[in-house]
Amino acid sequence: MKQGVVREVTYDRDVAALAVVGAGMAGTPGTGGRIFSAIGRAGINMMMISQGSSEVNVSFVVKGGDGKRALQVLHDEFRLSENSDD
């Protein structure tokens, strides 16, 4: 490995990583927009965003103190807390 390629490494300790996962996300327009819009409306800043090539998950990192609220916002946006009659 060539010396001096990496100048500096920084990190944050107080973060929360969340992932929205579902087979129905692949090829469904607007899912990413709903995720980002809901989190933005709640005033939560995403520090990092990642999506796999399979399009079945979107992962992101927020400040640790925003983690629970971000999770609730997503549950509300996608109505995940509602009981289904399936």
Side-chain angles (χ1 to χ4, degrees):
M1 179 176 196
K2 183 178 176 182
Q3 296 250 348
V5 174
V6 177
R7 291 187 190 180
E8 180 182 355
V9 175
T10 62
Y11 62 92
D12 292 312
R13 290 183 187 265
D14 185 26
V15 298
L18 292 95
V20 178
V21 181
M25 291 174 53
T28 303
T31 303
R34 286 179 67 188
I35 294 167
F36 303 137
S37 293
I39 295 296
R41 281 191 308 271
I44 299 171
N45 183 50
M46 291 186 183
M47 302 165 68
M48 186 276 312
I49 302 167
S50 176
Q51 179 177 13
S53 62
S54 65
E55 297 182 38
V56 297
N57 83 319
V58 174
S59 303
F60 60 95
V61 173
V62 299
K63 289 181 182 178
D66 290 333
K68 281 185 175 183
R69 191 162 51 99
L71 183 62
Q72 186 60 56
V73 164
L74 292 174
H75 270 249
D76 293 346
E77 176 66 25
F78 291 96
R79 302 164 69 165
L80 300 175
S81 299
E82 295 179 4
N83 294 328
S84 65
D85 294 332
D86 301 73

